[in-house]
Amino acid sequence: MTKKKSKRGRPRNDDRQTLNGILYVLKTGCAWEDLPPEYGSDTTCWRRLKEWSQDGTWERIWRTLLSQLDAEGKLEWEQAFLDGSFVPAKKGAMA
């Protein structure tokens, strides 16, 4: 006779709710602790963003969103820019 594996811990928070919480923080610039309760736990949103950034999920979400907005003509590419604060410089890169 085999035992059924019991689920441990809390059930995973809804990805859509968590994504909306992440987008809220990124859009408003508020601190994670100031995230409104309808988006779930601020800690969960922060951890999920970190996890998604590390495993490539966040980049896929971002590229999908940009593709959809571009297809709908809602992007003005001449207004786009690259923020260098996200691109670390290697030591001696300017030499």
Side-chain angles (χ1 to χ4, degrees):
M1 185 186 287
T2 61
K3 284 187 175 181
K4 279 188 175 180
K5 290 185 180 182
S6 63
K7 291 184 180 183
R8 293 184 174 205
R10 295 182 187 169
R12 182 176 171 92
N13 283 18
D14 180 63
D15 284 339
R16 174 65 70 166
Q17 180 186 33
T18 302
L19 175 61
N20 287 336
I22 293 167
L23 293 174
Y24 179 88
V25 169
L26 295 177
K27 181 178 179 181
T28 65
C30 76
W32 289 105
E33 304 86 45
D34 297 331
L35 185 69
E38 66 258 24
Y39 298 114
S41 163
D42 58 321
T43 304
T44 298
C45 290
W46 179 84
R47 284 182 183 156
R48 197 78 55 86
L49 176 59
K50 183 179 176 184
E51 174 189 319
W52 287 347
S53 294
Q54 291 173 343
D55 71 8
T57 301
W58 185 249
E59 184 174 347
R60 286 191 304 276
I61 291 169
W62 187 241
R63 287 181 181 274
T64 301
L65 176 61
L66 289 177
S67 295
Q68 288 177 355
L69 291 173
D70 189 36
E72 294 171 12
K74 294 182 178 179
L75 287 181
E76 294 183 34
W77 288 105
E78 51 281 341
Q79 299 294 321
F81 67 94
L82 174 64
D83 184 344
S85 66
F86 295 107
V87 183
K90 306 269 188 219
K91 284 188 176 182
M94 295 298 288

